[in-house]
Amino acid sequence: MVMAHGPTLLPTFMPVATQAAIKGLTSQQMEDLGVTLILNNTYHLNLRPGIKILREAGGAHKFQGWRKNLLTDSGGFQLVSLSKFTKITEEGALFASPFTGEPTLLTPEESISIQHAIGADIIMQLDDVVSSLTTGPRVEEAMWRSVRWLDRCIAQHKREGRPEQNLFAIIQGGLDSGLREICLEEMVKRKDSVSGFAIGGLSGGEAKDTFWKMIALCAEKLPDDKPRYSMGIGFAEDLLVCVALGVDMADCVFPTRTARFGVALTRQGPLNLRLNKYSQDLDPIDKDCACPTCRSETSRAFIYHNIGTETATAHAVTQHNIVFQAKLMGDVRDAIMKDEYPAFLKSFFKGYYANGK
Ligand code: GUN
Ligand code: ZN
């Protein structure tokens, strides 16, 4: 996939830089690690630094010194997940400003305008998100509203004339395959006005097999010539299953957040380096890993002793986890190109769950 800030190979995992900048790493470090697409949140950037500064800077790329591709989420999901006071109306998402407490409305049109000011290479429609555990008429209402809001986002995107920015639709419909199919059908009708399709409203605590069924249903019916993005997915095992089902892109705070708690990801499963058994372990996190932390042979014991006090420790694990996800997806791409994905999955899962540990 080639965008205004260069190529990004698919399938890919996108690290999340909520507030511009990955927590603990500079844009330069991210670039050096080989990452070519990260995610920012419209909601957070709109609050700080705000649209005026972003417009003056010429967009979030310049603001944060990021030269590769950028995706912004539209804001609705963050509003709903961060504040229980958010109220969804047909006009938009009504919330209390965290600064002034004033009621503030985020409409689909405004979300697109803000995302234009941010200047991300991929922008997301404003969607009406309900938790995947919600049942009843609210799920259908949110699904239809997401379709109507997609039309408003498409109209605004066309009005503002920013063709280098790629608008993605977001399929909703909860865990109901009938509603998902209706949403899919409606959104695929708009396929010429969007550059890709996301699958939203999942990974909120539902059973794995239900989650996979929804991904399978969506991925199977989405057009082959546009990228498919499963939102909020980041466990290695989920990424591999999603890719097997036809997903091209995913994002999640998990790898970077868990790093700050001292959990390093490996092909033998996550290592919780806060456990006492690592207090005298002088091995690197993973001797076969090419990340700067493992190459310098930073010891597991160093991480054990310093994770709670020294911020550089969290940075070291964050670098490792970002490289772990990137290498995993790189190996997935190689296996697919060589037509060896089933064998890759077999060997990955054997190692990941080895010895029942
Ligand atoms: N992030 C994780 N899930 C979702 C979703 O359903 N919609 C949006 N906009 N962002 C998400
Ligand atoms: Zn490493």
Side-chain angles (χ1 to χ4, degrees):
M1 173 166 74
V2 179
M3 293 176 285
H5 295 85
T8 291
L9 300 176
L10 301 179
T12 195
F13 175 79
M14 301 179 279
V16 180
T18 293
Q19 188 68 64
I22 302 288
K23 286 189 171 53
L25 295 188
T26 64
S27 293
Q28 188 55 54
Q29 283 173 313
M30 288 296 285
E31 197 175 323
D32 290 347
L33 296 178
V35 175
T36 61
L37 174 57
I38 63 168
L39 184 147
N40 279 176
N41 279 318
T42 299
Y43 170 75
H44 296 82
L45 288 186
N46 191 34
L47 292 178
R48 180 159 61 90
I51 285 317
K52 186 165 169 286
I53 299 280
L54 287 167
R55 284 218 168 91
E56 278 169 22
H61 281 93
K62 293 230 174 80
F63 174 71
Q64 65 194 303
W66 175 245
R67 298 183 291 188
K68 303 291 180 175
N69 292 310
L70 182 64
L71 178 151
T72 39
D73 197 0
S74 49
F77 176 77
Q78 286 72 34
L79 280 176
V80 173
S81 58
L82 293 174
S83 169
K84 52 183 182 304
F85 300 113
T86 299
K87 187 171 169 327
I88 304 292
T89 67
E90 189 58 25
E91 195 44 29
L94 190 63
F95 63 103
S97 157
F99 297 140
T100 61
E102 298 266 307
T104 312
L105 185 69
L106 179 69
T107 63
E109 291 78 10
E110 225 169 34
S111 172
I112 295 301
S113 290
I114 300 168
Q115 294 186 78
H116 285 163
I118 294 171
D121 302 279
I122 299 177
I123 63 177
M124 303 303 297
Q125 77 156 109
L126 187 70
D127 51 346
D128 184 0
V129 191
V130 292
S131 151
S132 55
L133 302 177
T134 303
T135 52
R138 176 72 185 105
V139 182
E140 180 165 8
E141 179 193 58
M143 183 277 283
W144 281 111
R145 184 167 289 131
S146 296
V147 175
R148 293 191 294 274
W149 284 3
L150 173 60
D151 283 334
R152 288 168 58 186
C153 289
I154 289 172
Q156 184 67 19
H157 188 46
K158 288 190 173 149
R159 265 195 298 277
E160 294 196 8
R162 294 287 296 268
E164 76 285 8
Q165 293 188 272
N166 297 287
L167 174 65
F168 276 38
I170 306 177
I171 314 276
Q172 294 292 349
L175 305 177
D176 182 318
S177 46
L179 295 181
R180 283 270 166 194
E181 286 196 38
I182 295 171
C183 193
L184 260 164
E185 219 170 274
E186 287 297 326
M187 289 186 172
V188 171
K189 282 186 202 160
R190 282 95 168 151
K191 117 188 211 335
D192 293 339
S193 304
V194 297
S195 307
F197 292 91
I199 306 164
L202 296 176
S203 208
E206 71 278 13
K208 283 267 177 189
D209 71 328
T210 321
F211 156 63
W212 287 329
K213 275 181 200 155
M214 293 301 123
I215 296 277
L217 181 148
C218 294
E220 193 186 313
K221 300 204 168 161
L222 283 170
D224 278 338
D225 57 349
K226 310 246 165 170
R228 305 165 191 152
Y229 162 25
S230 59
M231 307 191 84
I233 309 299
F235 295 157
E237 62 274 28
D238 289 346
L239 290 172
L240 297 193
V241 175
C242 284
V243 168
L245 295 172
V247 163
D248 303 298
M249 304 160 60
D251 76 285
C252 193
V253 294
F254 165 70
T256 42
R257 178 174 289 165
T258 205
R260 299 196 295 278
F261 293 106
V263 177
L265 306 176
T266 80
R267 292 285 172 102
Q268 288 74 47
L271 286 188
N272 181 354
L273 295 167
R274 287 171 313 172
L275 297 179
N276 281 334
K277 64 177 174 181
Y278 297 112
S279 66
Q280 300 183 44
D281 187 340
L282 296 177
D283 283 342
I285 297 170
D286 175 355
K287 62 177 175 16
D288 299 324
C289 173
C291 87
T293 307
C294 295
R295 266 202 332 259
S296 68
E297 300 189 28
T298 305
S299 68
R300 294 171 174 184
F302 168 82
I303 295 162
Y304 170 86
H305 289 286
N306 293 301
I307 189 71
T309 51
E310 301 297 326
T311 54
T313 322
H315 306 174
V317 185
T318 301
Q319 290 205 83
H320 169 83
N321 284 359
I322 284 184
V323 169
F324 172 85
Q325 298 284 101
K327 170 85 166 53
L328 179 68
M329 298 313 271
D331 288 353
V332 164
R333 290 192 296 269
D334 287 349
I336 293 172
M337 294 299 277
K338 288 195 262 171
D339 227 350
E340 291 172 359
Y341 195 49
F344 173 83
L345 287 177
K346 197 167 162 186
S347 121
F348 174 87
F349 280 108
K350 250 179 148 166
Y352 206 69
Y353 295 113
N355 313 322
K357 275 190 292 193

